[in-house]
Amino acid sequence: MTAAGDDLVVELCLPSDPQYLAMVRSLLTVFAGQIPTLDDRRIGDLKLVVTELFTNAIEANWRVSRTDGRQVQLRCVANAVELVMTVTDSGPGFDAIRDPHPPVEDPSRLEFERGLGIPLIQYLADEVDFVTTDSGTQATVVLRNRG
Amino acid sequence: MDLSLITTEADGHTVLAVSGDIDLSTVPNLRARLIEIVSSGTTSFVIDLSSVQFIDSTGLGVLVGAQRRLRAVDGQLTLIVPDGQMRSLFHVTGLDRVLTIVDGVEGGLT
């Protein structure tokens, strides 16, 4: 964890292993507590958002290989105004715009266990951006306190 | 955090009390237990999430799967989810429209 001007920065590079998810949540909780950017409720939102992004990144890497050492990178920058988090994988990418699942009020939605993560991220974050290239996907979210 | 799964029988219901964090690292164990319970012939199934500290979309998805499997055998799934930040996730995702959710055991098991 480093300080750059008024910003506090944390960077991680972790294996594509779900066993690290709890540690990432704990680390970001401590990180967010260093700057009064987010209140307790928004820190709860942050824990969910980072878990969703990390999970997406792990599964994206797994689609290429589970054994070739692909990693997930996380960078988080916080100041008194906002927290900006970037999670990067080296998977094949995905279409974050086109949700292939039926709407939740459709009974056929029960046929699908997946597809809830992106809507949650979009609801909880103030800004969301996914950029997919040949080398992977970079997801960037911004969280601010809500009145 | 490890996931704790404790199954009991109470008043004709099978109750699974879950505690800990539900995410990609613990979801396989939860899914396996849910399939095991539904396969045992239970038709009135209660999942108590009162002691869950964290749940993500993979956890919500597994609950959707349990509902689907129970419906296939004309069963009933009830979730105990205290009001609060976790409860709001069911509302945000719309799952409160397809899942039966109560505040506690006294909140509506029949």
Side-chain angles (χ1 to χ4, degrees):
Chain A
M1 199 180 300
T2 60
D6 292 332
D7 291 342
L8 201 60
V9 182
V10 65
E11 293 178 300
L12 290 175
C13 190
L14 292 171
S16 301
D17 186 340
Q19 298 299 326
Y20 289 96
L21 286 168
M23 185 206 75
V24 170
R25 285 195 293 274
S26 297
L27 185 144
L28 280 195
T29 299
V30 173
F31 174 75
Q34 302 299 305
I35 289 181
T37 309
L38 305 177
D39 58 26
D40 287 346
R41 183 173 184 86
R42 291 298 276 160
I43 290 176
D45 294 342
L46 170 65
K47 290 165 65 176
L48 182 54
V49 169
V50 73
T51 300
E52 298 296 340
L53 292 175
F54 232 90
T55 296
N56 287 349
I58 289 170
E59 292 186 324
N61 284 344
W62 280 357
R63 281 195 283 276
V64 179
S65 172
R66 289 196 180 215
T67 58
D68 68 355
R70 285 168 191 270
Q71 296 191 307
V72 178
Q73 298 175 49
L74 179 147
R75 176 180 167 84
C76 202
V77 181
N79 56 40
V81 177
E82 63 188 15
L83 183 148
V84 181
M85 181 166 55
T86 303
V87 176
T88 306
D89 64 60
S90 54
F94 75 110
D95 186 347
I97 304 300
R98 192 183 64 82
D99 183 356
H101 303 94
V104 290
E105 62 272 14
D106 186 332
S108 66
R109 182 66 181 82
L110 286 176
E111 299 302 316
F112 300 89
E113 293 187 18
R114 303 178 59 85
L116 296 169
I118 298 297
L120 275 177
I121 294 168
Q122 290 171 329
Y123 176 80
L124 295 173
D126 295 293
E127 297 176 31
V128 183
D129 185 39
F130 294 96
V131 177
T132 291
T133 67
D134 290 342
S135 58
T137 297
Q138 183 175 79
T140 302
V141 298
V142 179
L143 276 82
R144 306 181 188 95
N145 269 332
R146 291 177 173 173
Chain B
M1 176 178 285
D2 291 339
L3 195 67
S4 169
L5 304 170
I6 299 174
T7 307
T8 56
E9 299 288 335
D11 300 327
H13 309 287
T14 300
V15 180
L16 178 66
V18 186
S19 61
D21 287 5
I22 304 176
D23 63 20
L24 189 63
S25 68
T26 56
V27 144
N29 286 344
L30 176 60
R31 180 186 290 111
R33 179 66 68 88
L34 295 178
I35 291 173
E36 176 187 319
I37 290 172
V38 175
S39 300
S40 73
T42 293
T43 55
S44 181
F45 187 14
V46 179
I47 303 175
D48 184 353
L49 300 172
S50 304
S51 297
V52 169
Q53 277 80 50
F54 177 86
I55 187 169
D56 70 357
S57 67
T58 64
L60 296 175
V62 165
L63 299 175
V64 169
Q67 168 83 329
R68 185 183 70 245
R69 293 183 180 93
L70 268 173
R71 280 195 174 177
V73 295
D74 292 326
Q76 170 67 42
L77 175 66
T78 302
L79 304 180
I80 297 176
V81 186
D83 204 12
Q85 199 159 4
M86 187 186 304
R87 181 74 164 262
S88 70
L89 298 182
F90 290 87
H91 181 68
V92 169
T93 54
L95 293 180
D96 58 352
R97 282 177 269 172
V98 294
L99 298 170
T100 301
I101 302 173
V102 299
D103 292 332
V105 174
E106 67 283 3
L109 299 185
T110 57

